[in-house]
Amino acid sequence: MTDSNIVSPELAAIEVHGISRASFILRGAMTAGALYGATAVGPYVGSALAASGGGDLEILNFALTLEYLETDFYEHKAKMVNLGGEAKSLAALIAGHEQQHVDALIKAIQGAGGTPVKQPTFVFPVTDQASFLKLAYVLENTGVGAYNGAGPALSNPAYLAAAGSIVQVEARHAAAIGLLTGQPVTPDRGFDKPLTKAQVLAKAGPLIKA
Amino acid sequence: MSKQPTTEAGRPESGVVQQLARDDLERKRFLKIAGKTMGPGAAAAGLAAFIAACGSAKSSSSSSSTGSASTPASTTPSGSGDLAIVNYALTLEYLEAQFYDNVIASHLFSGPTLSTLKAFGSEEHQHVAALMTVASSLGAPAVKPTGKFPLTSASSVAKLAATVENLGAAAYLGQAGNIKSKEILAAALSIHTVEARHAATLNTVLKLSPTPDGAFAKPMDMPSVLAAVKPFIA
């Protein structure tokens, strides 16, 4: 899926190929037990291994871009729409986490001798608390799918450990927002669907201005 | 990152689980992870302490990092390499699935709360089915354990559910770096975040933070997890 709709060059890179026999076995296994729809393990695993020259640094920068996006959303947009009550405290809690994810990723990228991407400018089509929470739910679930999709492509185990630690928190955010807003806490039922780069871009890309 | 659960906003109940929240749950934070400094590496101690605080397992605060890479195969349920990890996960999922089955059969819950528990239970059964098939493709699947769970009151069961789910999430996280097959890793990640969603939901119901570890979830290694679940195996 080398799509041409790459909104931001930083968001290139999580393509992976190579469906093995094991993924077919796994696909059978998952469909056997699950009602989770058409997406099976194989395809997304196929899109999560060994990017064409991408590598860990590109994945980390991709993650950093998403974390910038989330941080900006919870830090700034939350104030603009004047959240109240539980929504306000939850957004504040999450904002702090996302900022820590940004800091950790920048450190990891620099530690690996890479250059962290600059924070893009974002635009969020959100006008009130309801639309804020609706987008928050999408963003968190997209974050879960993005990390889960990219995880297997990471070659450095330390980065995988960090990504796992972060994605678990994104999943917890998603569930907390789902619970608050009456949306499913497990939208994919037993198996969270990993997302390919193209799928992440389809959701997050339009929010990236420059 | 010192662990201060009280700094994480407690989440009042909402919608689906109000009944559960009304069950006069003990507000005391059973998730007592003593204020230890821990990075993403030094994680096991916290959850072990938390399990211990529930009176359900002995603390194994000496357990170290993510480093189940160094876990000897002999501590695994059966098999080696990916099979051992899959069987380890299968064992945990068996216990979780049976736990929810027992909870549902206990008639301690009704209404939307029961629906949530049923949904979570069915998701655990999905995990069992998937892992069993994968284990069969690699070798011999783990034998199904018989669980024993104290189901005395709605509030204690809710706490146990949260304990189990947080433990499950930490267990998967602890194995991510040890899995050789990319396909199995992808599946484990996919299951891992569902356990996290369950844990966050139950924590919220219990008025605990959905993110008890803060911004970075802590992994737990295999020996610590097995020690923590031992009291629940008949």
Side-chain angles (χ1 to χ4, degrees):
Chain A
M1 259 176 270
T2 329
D3 290 359
S4 52
N5 65 336
I6 294 180
V7 178
S8 163
E10 294 83 35
L11 290 178
I14 303 193
E15 286 302 300
V16 188
H17 303 286
I19 294 185
S20 69
R21 194 177 142 271
S23 37
F24 281 99
I25 293 168
L26 208 47
R27 184 189 320 201
M30 314 285 279
T31 30
L35 325 151
Y36 71 106
T39 307
V41 182
Y44 61 67
V45 174
S47 63
L49 310 178
S52 46
D56 286 2
L57 274 174
E58 286 197 52
I59 293 171
L60 295 179
N61 263 324
F62 179 85
L64 175 57
T65 303
L66 294 178
E67 296 288 356
Y68 276 140
L69 187 155
E70 290 184 314
T71 302
D72 191 53
F73 180 69
Y74 290 107
E75 293 263 348
H76 300 114
K77 197 67 191 181
K79 287 179 184 127
M80 289 164 69
V81 298
N82 232 338
L83 298 178
E86 281 182 59
K88 186 177 182 179
S89 53
L90 185 57
L93 175 77
I94 296 175
H97 295 162
E98 308 300 7
Q99 181 64 57
Q100 290 180 62
H101 295 168
V102 165
D103 296 344
L105 287 165
I106 288 175
K107 215 171 148 185
I109 291 163
Q110 289 171 338
T115 305
V117 290
K118 288 203 173 67
Q119 176 166 345
T121 305
F122 302 104
V123 57
F124 301 106
V126 157
T127 52
D128 55 14
Q129 180 160 314
S131 54
F132 180 92
L133 291 173
K134 196 173 164 192
L135 183 56
Y137 182 72
V138 172
L139 290 180
E140 295 294 348
N141 283 308
T142 302
V144 171
Y147 277 101
N148 280 350
L154 288 166
S155 45
N156 184 330
Y159 299 152
L160 175 60
S165 175
I166 291 174
V167 73
Q168 184 184 124
V169 170
E170 303 291 345
R172 288 169 178 272
H173 293 167
I177 295 164
L179 196 56
L180 180 63
T181 57
Q183 295 173 90
V185 295
T186 53
D188 298 338
R189 301 298 322 274
F191 305 95
D192 274 332
K193 291 176 206 156
L195 298 175
T196 63
K197 172 206 68 186
Q199 289 169 321
V200 174
L201 283 173
K203 291 173 193 292
L207 307 175
I208 300 173
K209 249 334 198 204
Chain B
M1 243 178 306
S2 76
K3 189 70 221 65
Q4 296 291 348
T6 44
T7 63
E8 299 270 320
R11 317 239 29 86
E13 74 269 25
S14 56
V16 127
V17 277
Q18 279 173 350
Q19 181 203 335
L20 188 51
R22 277 198 303 270
D23 284 334
D24 189 28
L25 295 169
E26 190 185 341
R27 299 294 149 87
K28 173 180 152 227
R29 296 193 180 261
F30 65 100
L31 211 167
K32 267 279 195 283
I33 301 176
K36 292 174 180 161
T37 43
M38 41 178 100
L47 266 176
F50 140 64
I51 299 290
C54 298
S56 55
K58 67 178 165 48
S59 168
S60 51
S61 54
S62 62
S63 58
S64 63
S65 61
T66 344
S68 4
S70 61
T71 301
S74 61
T75 65
T76 63
S78 59
S80 62
D82 283 355
L83 176 60
I85 296 169
V86 170
N87 272 335
Y88 165 63
L90 176 58
T91 301
L92 298 178
E93 296 288 357
Y94 268 135
L95 290 169
E96 287 187 315
Q98 193 197 324
F99 170 71
Y100 282 106
D101 286 350
N102 293 357
V103 168
I104 291 159
S106 73
H107 301 295
L108 286 169
F109 299 94
S110 61
T113 305
L114 181 61
S115 303
T116 298
L117 295 169
K118 280 182 174 171
F120 288 5
S122 92
E123 285 151 16
E124 307 301 0
H125 279 286
Q126 291 176 14
H127 299 165
V128 167
L131 291 166
M132 200 158 50
T133 310
V134 174
S136 300
S137 77
L138 297 173
V143 174
K144 183 179 179 179
T146 302
K148 52 166 184 180
F149 306 100
L151 304 176
T152 49
S153 69
S155 74
S156 69
V157 168
K159 280 189 285 189
L160 183 53
T163 300
V164 166
E165 295 287 1
N166 281 292
L167 184 66
Y172 276 96
L173 184 54
Q175 293 309 313
N178 300 330
I179 298 171
K180 301 283 186 295
S181 155
K182 297 294 189 187
E183 287 77 18
I184 293 173
L185 173 59
L189 290 172
S190 164
I191 294 174
H192 164 238
T193 46
V194 171
E195 303 293 340
R197 291 168 182 275
H198 292 174
T201 302
L202 292 161
N203 275 16
T204 301
V205 168
L206 290 160
K207 303 196 180 300
L208 298 168
S209 171
T211 50
D213 297 341
F216 302 96
K218 301 187 198 91
M220 193 164 173
D221 67 17
M222 198 181 286
S224 306
V225 171
L226 292 175
V229 299
K230 204 175 172 196
F232 304 115
I233 299 176

